[in-house]
């Protein structure tokens, strides 16, 4: 089993500080909710200035959302975010 979560901010929309904070809280909440679908590894990817930034590790979502790299990715306010939690039903657990 696995879980997917994410968000898209419409092109050209500039979020206020309050909206960015709410978006970050929602993404963290979604990541934690998807932890029930997979506890072996978690990752999130975002598009920032047409560059793909990926943060992933063989840890639970609860642990990943506390990581500096995860927080920095959310703080950069990417227009597209896609996250994944994994339960290793086939293959090894690894970063």
């Amino acid at each position: 089993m696995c879980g997917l979560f994410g968000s898209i901010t419409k092109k050209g929309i500039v979020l206020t500080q309050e909206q960015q904070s709410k978006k970050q809280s929602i993404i963290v909440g979604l990541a934690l909710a998807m932890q029930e679908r997979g506890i072996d590894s978690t990752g999130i990817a975002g598009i920032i200035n047409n560059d793909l930034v990926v943060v992933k590790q063989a840890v639970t979502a609860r642990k990943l959302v506390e990581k500096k790299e995860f927080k920095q990715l959310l703080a950069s306010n990417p227009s597209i975010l896609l996250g994944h939690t994994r339960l290793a039903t086939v293959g090894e657990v690894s970063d």
Side-chain angles (χ1 to χ4, degrees):
M1 232 185 329
C2 296
L4 296 172
F5 59 95
S7 74
I8 298 174
T9 303
K10 190 174 178 181
K11 189 174 182 177
I13 298 295
V14 178
L15 300 179
T16 65
Q17 193 72 309
E18 181 181 354
Q19 290 170 325
Q20 287 180 27
S21 179
K22 285 182 182 180
K23 178 182 170 183
Q24 291 172 11
S25 293
I26 290 168
I27 293 298
V28 168
L30 289 170
L32 295 176
M34 288 298 104
Q35 179 173 275
E36 296 300 316
R37 303 207 34 99
I39 60 169
D40 292 320
S41 57
T42 309
I44 190 165
I47 304 291
I48 304 168
N49 299 324
N50 293 325
D51 290 326
L52 178 65
V53 177
V54 177
V55 176
K56 62 180 183 168
Q57 228 175 347
V59 296
T60 63
R62 167 84 45 212
K63 289 182 181 175
L64 190 70
V65 301
E66 295 300 323
K67 301 268 182 187
K68 177 180 157 185
E69 297 85 357
F70 185 93
K71 292 178 180 182
Q72 286 176 331
L73 176 57
L74 287 186
S76 66
N77 194 33
S79 57
I80 298 173
L81 278 168
L82 180 62
H84 179 257
T85 60
R86 177 176 184 258
L87 178 66
T89 56
V90 175
E92 296 180 21
V93 175
S94 68
D95 287 338

